């Protein structure tokens, strides 16, 4: 297929996947974002990830404004916001402490930056809704996220091969069971670590507001620092 048809087919498959997962807010958000991103390639226009996220939120709220008060909706969007805004910075910082190059360095830095960045952003909401803070999440996600990717691939394989080969379908089902048991085992072991989680009797909205105000202040200062460093780098290249 020509490249433009690759993007069109990918968008169609994304919409189909969104349909078979009952159009949950997190899946719709991802579908809208990726579809807009691919449409940018089709139109030969560069798309902005923050604009994509805002448009996905607008579409979901246009369909049902009450999504704004849904915990899953809030966590889903704030996770993606963390991936766009904070994770690249953390990845760069972690890379400065890792000496060796190669796949292992990229995996460790990428996984740790992703886990830490998302945890920092969702920590306030988790505390507010569930009266708990889970520092162990930072470590657990390094193992859980790759297993989740494997489960997604195996699940799609199960869907496809269930129409083709029953024996291969059984093998894929066994692999899914092994991966699920491994994930549950990892989570169980992590939950037994000292200070794995901290439970509060109640949550106060004031603490949440202060937390996110401090976080936003840091991000504003950080963004200015990045822009200043980029200007210095451009000036050095010009000289």
């Amino acid at each position: 297929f020509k490249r433009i048809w690759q993007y069109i087919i990918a968008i169609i498959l994304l919409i189909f996947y969104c349909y078979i997962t009952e159009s949950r807010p997190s899946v719709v958000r991802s579908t809208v974002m990726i579809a807009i991103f691919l449409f940018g390639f089709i139109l030969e226009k560069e798309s902005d990830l923050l604009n994509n996220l805002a448009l996905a939120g607008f579409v979901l709220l246009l369909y049902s404004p009450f999504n704004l008060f849904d915990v899953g909706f809030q966590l889903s969007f704030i996770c993606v916001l963390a991936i766009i805004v904070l994770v690249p910075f953390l990845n760069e910082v972690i890379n400065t402490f890792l000496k060796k190059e190669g796949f292992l360095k990229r995996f460790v830095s990428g996984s740790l930056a992703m886990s830490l960045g998302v945890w920092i952003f969702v920590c306030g909401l988790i505390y507010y809704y569930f009266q708990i803070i889970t520092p162990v999440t930072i470590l657990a996600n390094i193992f859980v996220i790759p297993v989740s990717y494997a489960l997604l691939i195996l699940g799609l394989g199960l869907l496809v091969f269930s129409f083709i080969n029953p024996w291969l379908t059984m093998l894929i089902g066994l692999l899914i069971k092994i991966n699920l048991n491994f994930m549950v085992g990892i989570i169980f072991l992590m939950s037994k670590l000292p200070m794995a989680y901290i439970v509060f009797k109640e949550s106060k909205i004031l603490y949440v507001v202060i937390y996110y105000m401090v976080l936003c202040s840091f991000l504003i200062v950080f963004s200015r620092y990045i822009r200043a460093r980029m200007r210095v780098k451009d000036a050095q290249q010009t000289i």
Side-chain angles (χ1 to χ4, degrees), residues 26-68:
S26 59
V27 182
V28 174
R29 180 261 306 158
S30 301
T31 302
V32 172
M33 283 192 65
I34 300 173
I36 293 171
F37 188 74
L38 293 177
F39 267 122
F41 284 118
I42 294 173
L43 301 175
E44 297 183 353
K45 301 285 185 179
E46 185 177 356
S47 58
D48 182 81
L49 291 178
L50 285 175
N51 286 341
N52 290 357
L53 184 64
L55 181 57
F58 176 75
V59 170
L60 285 173
L61 293 176
L62 191 65
Y63 173 73
S64 175
F66 290 103
N67 276 329
L68 184 62

Side-chain angles (χ1 to χ4, degrees), residues 1-10 13:
F1 294 109
K2 293 183 178 179
R3 188 172 294 274
I4 186 171
W5 283 107
Q6 294 177 19
Y7 298 143
I8 293 172
I9 293 171
L13 291 174

Side-chain angles (χ1 to χ4, degrees), residues 31-238:
T31 302
V32 172
M33 283 192 65
I34 300 173
I36 293 171
F37 188 74
L38 293 177
F39 267 122
F41 284 118
I42 294 173
L43 301 175
E44 297 183 353
K45 301 285 185 179
E46 185 177 356
S47 58
D48 182 81
L49 291 178
L50 285 175
N51 286 341
N52 290 357
L53 184 64
L55 181 57
F58 176 75
V59 170
L60 285 173
L61 293 176
L62 191 65
Y63 173 73
S64 175
F66 290 103
N67 276 329
L68 184 62
F69 307 101
D70 181 73
V71 181
F73 177 90
Q74 296 173 14
L75 290 174
S76 174
F77 272 82
I78 203 169
C79 283
V80 178
L81 185 63
I83 293 171
I84 296 172
V85 175
L86 187 57
V87 169
F89 166 71
L90 292 175
N91 194 22
E92 184 177 340
V93 171
I94 294 170
N95 270 322
T96 59
F97 293 97
L98 299 177
K99 302 300 181 181
K100 293 183 179 180
E101 297 291 338
F103 170 78
L104 184 60
K105 177 183 177 180
R106 292 194 301 271
F107 173 77
V108 172
S109 62
S111 300
L112 188 57
M114 177 79 72
S115 184
L116 180 59
V118 171
W119 181 80
I120 289 173
F121 264 57
V122 303
C123 188
L125 287 179
I126 297 294
Y127 159 77
Y128 178 70
Y129 284 113
F130 306 107
Q131 293 82 49
I132 191 172
I133 295 178
T134 55
V136 74
T137 301
I138 302 170
L139 179 61
N141 277 344
I142 296 176
F143 301 96
V144 171
I145 290 174
V147 178
S148 300
Y149 288 149
L151 285 170
L152 176 61
I153 295 170
L154 289 170
L156 292 173
L158 186 70
L159 182 67
V160 172
F161 286 103
S162 60
F163 299 99
I164 301 174
N165 190 316
W167 294 104
L168 191 55
T169 303
M170 291 177 61
L171 177 60
I172 295 174
L174 178 61
L175 292 174
I176 289 176
K177 183 177 180 179
I178 293 171
N179 275 271
L180 283 172
N181 288 336
F182 176 74
M183 179 186 290
V184 172
I186 287 292
I187 294 171
F188 176 77
L189 291 175
M190 293 290 178
S191 69
K192 299 301 180 182
L193 293 175
M195 297 296 294
Y197 55 90
I198 305 169
V199 181
F200 298 86
K201 292 182 178 179
E202 61 178 353
S203 57
K204 296 184 179 180
I205 186 63
L206 177 63
Y207 295 161
V208 179
V209 172
I210 293 173
Y211 176 79
Y212 282 111
M213 286 179 63
V214 172
L215 183 59
C216 288
S217 300
F218 166 77
L219 291 174
I220 291 170
V221 172
F222 160 68
S223 62
R224 290 179 178 176
Y225 165 75
I226 291 296
R227 285 196 294 268
R229 196 173 71 168
M230 289 179 64
R231 286 196 294 268
V232 170
K233 186 180 292 186
D234 292 339
Q236 290 175 345
Q237 291 177 351
T238 302

